[in-house]
Amino acid sequence: MNYPYQLPQLGYDYNALEPHIDAQTMEIHHTKHHQTYVDKLNAVIKDHPDIQGKDLIELMKGLNSMKLDEACARAIRNHGGGHLNHSFFWKLMDPSNTKDEELTKRIEEKWGMDKFKEAFNTAAANQFGSGWAWLVEDDQGELQVYSTSNQDSPYLQGHTPLIGVDVWEHAYYLKYQNKRPDYIKSWWNIIKI
Ligand code: MN3
């Protein structure tokens, strides 16, 4: 993911995830929300040639220790996070629902699948306001479940996202309105475990 950043293709049609996520939500989410993160990120990085060649994930991992001006650091955190999170999210969701056997096994060994989903669902439901819930591999190679606010990426703390759900209202409001838990419950049907 090098500058200038671009909106990635989904790899499936906007209606491919129905009935779990409706086509209109997917299209607006991809072409409006994600595009805006990409455009705003590019606009800020345009004035910072020193970081234009850097990979976005590496920028995110080093963000807290880099000496960037505040506006630039904030843009990477928010719009760069938005770009990374959404690019990950589109790839994670799979209309064919092919299982990731290895990840399933790791989850089973650590928590058991039901307990993991319960913890993940709780993190997603309890995230106050906009944000994401995550399953990550931390810097020790351990699995962890937590939520983040806004577009904060797990890479900010050196963690690699394995599963993540967007719980901003723009991700589900047209179909589910205020019923975030219903959206999350349905969303599991298009996730690889
Ligand atoms: Mn979103």
Side-chain angles (χ1 to χ4, degrees):
M1 280 196 183
N2 283 323
Y3 175 86
Y5 301 103
Q6 291 183 342
L7 187 69
Q9 298 287 317
L10 289 189
Y12 45 79
D13 293 334
Y14 290 124
N15 65 4
L17 303 177
E18 289 195 352
H20 311 294
I21 303 183
D22 61 285
Q24 191 185 11
T25 294
M26 286 300 294
E27 183 166 5
I28 295 170
H29 202 171
H30 182 238
T31 62
K32 306 293 185 198
H33 292 279
H34 190 170
Q35 183 71 59
T36 301
Y37 296 122
V38 170
D39 292 346
K40 289 190 171 175
L41 178 64
N42 282 332
V44 169
I45 302 245
K46 185 165 165 275
D47 299 325
H48 292 80
D50 50 320
I51 53 171
Q52 282 171 7
K54 297 219 165 109
D55 181 79
L56 187 55
I57 291 175
E58 295 308 312
L59 271 179
M60 199 63 73
K61 286 179 179 172
L63 195 62
N64 292 324
S65 55
M66 289 170 76
K67 290 187 176 65
L68 295 171
D69 69 71
E70 201 189 321
C72 182
R74 192 168 54 237
I76 292 171
R77 184 175 187 131
N78 291 337
H79 305 305
H83 181 35
L84 276 180
N85 293 343
H86 287 85
S87 299
F88 172 79
F89 190 55
W90 309 137
K91 272 205 236 171
L92 174 73
M93 297 188 292
D94 175 11
S96 73
N97 197 20
T98 309
K99 297 295 174 198
D100 182 333
E101 311 259 337
E102 196 189 319
L103 183 58
T104 301
K105 189 160 168 261
R106 286 183 73 185
I107 292 169
E108 291 282 9
E109 283 172 6
K110 174 136 183 152
W111 295 290
M113 189 55 71
D114 289 348
K115 280 208 162 153
F116 157 69
K117 284 194 176 174
E118 199 181 307
F120 188 97
N121 290 348
T122 300
N126 290 353
Q127 167 57 36
F128 182 73
S130 298
W132 293 71
W134 301 101
L135 169 70
V136 303
E137 182 176 83
D138 70 16
D139 44 352
Q140 308 297 317
E142 292 289 324
L143 298 181
Q144 281 194 43
V145 170
Y146 55 77
S147 65
T148 58
S149 294
N150 304 314
Q151 293 297 349
D152 283 1
S153 162
Y155 288 117
L156 283 169
Q157 44 190 332
H159 297 174
T160 303
L162 301 176
I163 290 178
V165 65
D166 187 343
V167 297
W168 285 56
E169 283 190 343
H170 68 227
Y172 62 88
Y173 199 85
L174 290 179
K175 183 176 169 77
Y176 297 95
Q177 293 82 48
N178 60 323
K179 299 185 284 285
R180 187 191 284 180
D182 290 359
Y183 153 64
I184 297 160
K185 189 177 168 198
S186 193
W187 171 83
W188 281 117
N189 290 295
I190 41 172
I191 299 305
K192 60 191 177 182
I193 56 164

